[in-house]
Amino acid sequence: MKQGLLRYDPKDGVRKNIGDYIQSLAARQFLGPDYVLVEREQLHHYNGEPMKLIMNAWWMHYPENWPPSERIDPLFVSFHITPKVAERMLHEKSVAYLKRYQPIGCRDKGTQALLSQHGIESYFSGCLTLTLGLSYQAAPKSDRVIIINPQFNRPSLKKPANFLRALWSCVGKYSLLKAISKKLYLSDSFISILKTTYFYNAYSKKFDDQLLVDAEYFTHGVDVKDFQSEQERFDYADHLLKEYSTASLVITSRLHAALPCVAIGVPTIFIYGEDIPRSAGRFDGLLEHVNCLQYKNKEWVGLNGFQVEGKITQGKVIPNKNTHQPLADQMAATVRNFLSR
């Protein structure tokens, strides 16, 4: 039977989260060379020959397009439903569809709870990106720190006192902030430096100045116009994972940077941002396997037992928990069994 792999059109036609493609790279490592790309939001239109499809993804922008075509044989593993569309997605027809393929392997315990509320048998599988250690290996370069989409509270004129403090910081540490801004925003404009000030005022309480200045900054938000084809998007996702694999430390607020890096064996810290909108339950069951810090009430606190005394410097060793492997092994076995039958 034909094999499929998910691809993703941007909802706004402009910006895309390359983390979606990292999820598909996790699925692709189990496929043969002749897979077919199918768009996540258009599976109900698929009318080709019968196809096996690993359904590890975030679902979805257009719940009216659910469930998928009957010509798709799905494997529900690492499956996430965003709560914003849960009510529209889990209608009577959809519930009946999911029950045909139960038990449903859920990426997070939030999705598992949603399905259970509708009488759908499910289990927590974890995220398929935790299997990426099968295809990528850590090869750290000394003191190479990579920071990916760090979350922090942005400047707001609604809080003039904070705004004025940021302006004062700009004056006091202008050269340092300018150097970071050029990497974080690829700009040293006044607005970019001001936003960098908010980043610095929070992160400098836990991370050494030299680390923040010397770090390399990456983003998972990309402009689709920068890519000529789907292959280029996949190639870029692959390029990012290879870059991350050479880091001695990755600091990120992106789930699909943190989990792949843990899988690859790269020391990783996940930043759980304060006052940042999060889908309810999105991380439940996953962050237990990652070193997590949260900036709350102007203080850094460790989550799930993770603690680091003092400031983190470039040479500080931050070992991963390495508790994810049983999940990764089980998902890999589930996928291989599905594709072989």
Side-chain angles (χ1 to χ4, degrees), residues 64-226:
E64 61 272 17
N65 293 350
W66 183 267
S69 162
E70 291 293 326
R71 301 186 72 78
I72 291 174
D73 179 15
L75 172 65
F76 287 100
V77 67
S78 187
F79 181 70
H80 170 77
I81 297 177
T82 180
K84 290 182 180 180
V85 304
E87 185 174 343
R88 289 184 290 154
M89 190 167 170
L90 293 173
H91 48 74
E92 184 177 353
K93 181 180 178 182
S94 173
V95 169
Y97 171 81
L98 289 169
K99 284 184 175 181
R100 285 169 50 194
Y101 298 102
Q102 60 188 12
I104 306 298
C106 300
R107 191 183 77 187
D108 50 85
K109 292 183 178 178
T111 297
Q112 184 184 9
L114 274 175
L115 297 186
S116 296
Q117 290 168 15
H118 289 80
I120 301 167
E121 185 182 347
S122 59
Y123 66 98
F124 170 63
S125 68
C127 183
L128 197 61
T129 59
L130 288 173
T131 68
L132 281 165
L134 295 170
S135 299
Y136 301 86
Q137 292 186 343
K141 297 178 181 177
S142 178
D143 295 340
R144 187 186 190 195
V145 176
I146 291 178
I147 300 177
I148 308 157
N149 291 109
Q151 288 193 333
F152 56 95
N153 291 330
R154 267 47 174 194
S156 172
L157 292 176
K158 295 179 181 179
K159 296 182 178 179
N162 290 345
F163 188 76
L164 290 173
R165 278 195 292 270
L167 286 176
W168 180 248
S169 295
C170 280
V171 174
K173 292 185 174 289
Y174 179 78
S175 296
L176 181 149
L177 293 169
K178 182 178 179 180
I180 297 174
S181 182
K182 285 182 176 180
K183 295 182 175 182
L184 181 59
Y185 292 109
L186 302 179
S187 169
D188 59 0
S189 69
F190 172 74
I191 295 299
S192 296
I193 293 175
L194 183 62
K195 289 190 290 186
T196 300
T197 301
Y198 276 69
F199 161 76
Y200 175 78
N201 285 347
Y203 281 66
S204 63
K205 292 180 179 179
K206 194 61 181 176
F207 299 93
D208 177 73
D209 278 7
Q210 200 62 51
L211 180 152
L212 296 175
V213 171
D214 290 346
E216 299 173 53
Y217 292 79
F218 288 75
T219 179
H220 278 193
V222 298
D223 189 329
V224 295
K225 291 183 293 186
D226 292 336

Side-chain angles (χ1 to χ4, degrees), residues 184-307:
L184 181 59
Y185 292 109
L186 302 179
S187 169
D188 59 0
S189 69
F190 172 74
I191 295 299
S192 296
I193 293 175
L194 183 62
K195 289 190 290 186
T196 300
T197 301
Y198 276 69
F199 161 76
Y200 175 78
N201 285 347
Y203 281 66
S204 63
K205 292 180 179 179
K206 194 61 181 176
F207 299 93
D208 177 73
D209 278 7
Q210 200 62 51
L211 180 152
L212 296 175
V213 171
D214 290 346
E216 299 173 53
Y217 292 79
F218 288 75
T219 179
H220 278 193
V222 298
D223 189 329
V224 295
K225 291 183 293 186
D226 292 336
F227 302 92
Q228 299 300 313
S229 65
E230 287 291 332
Q231 185 59 52
E232 287 191 5
R233 296 184 202 180
F234 277 100
D235 289 345
Y236 183 64
D238 174 71
H239 165 75
L240 288 180
L241 292 180
K242 289 174 179 175
E243 289 286 333
Y244 302 163
S245 71
T246 66
S248 61
L249 177 64
V250 164
I251 302 163
T252 183
S253 297
R254 289 285 189 174
L255 185 66
H256 293 117
L259 297 183
C261 286
V262 166
I264 294 168
V266 177
T268 302
I269 297 175
F270 183 82
I271 305 299
Y272 193 97
E274 181 186 17
D275 299 329
I276 304 295
R278 300 283 195 176
S279 297
R282 180 184 173 199
F283 301 127
D284 289 356
L286 293 170
L287 296 191
E288 287 88 334
H289 303 285
V290 186
N291 299 322
C292 295
L293 288 174
Q294 182 177 28
Y295 187 63
K296 188 174 184 179
N297 298 324
K298 298 183 180 180
E299 297 289 340
W300 286 97
V301 295
L303 302 179
N304 301 318
F306 177 64
Q307 297 292 338

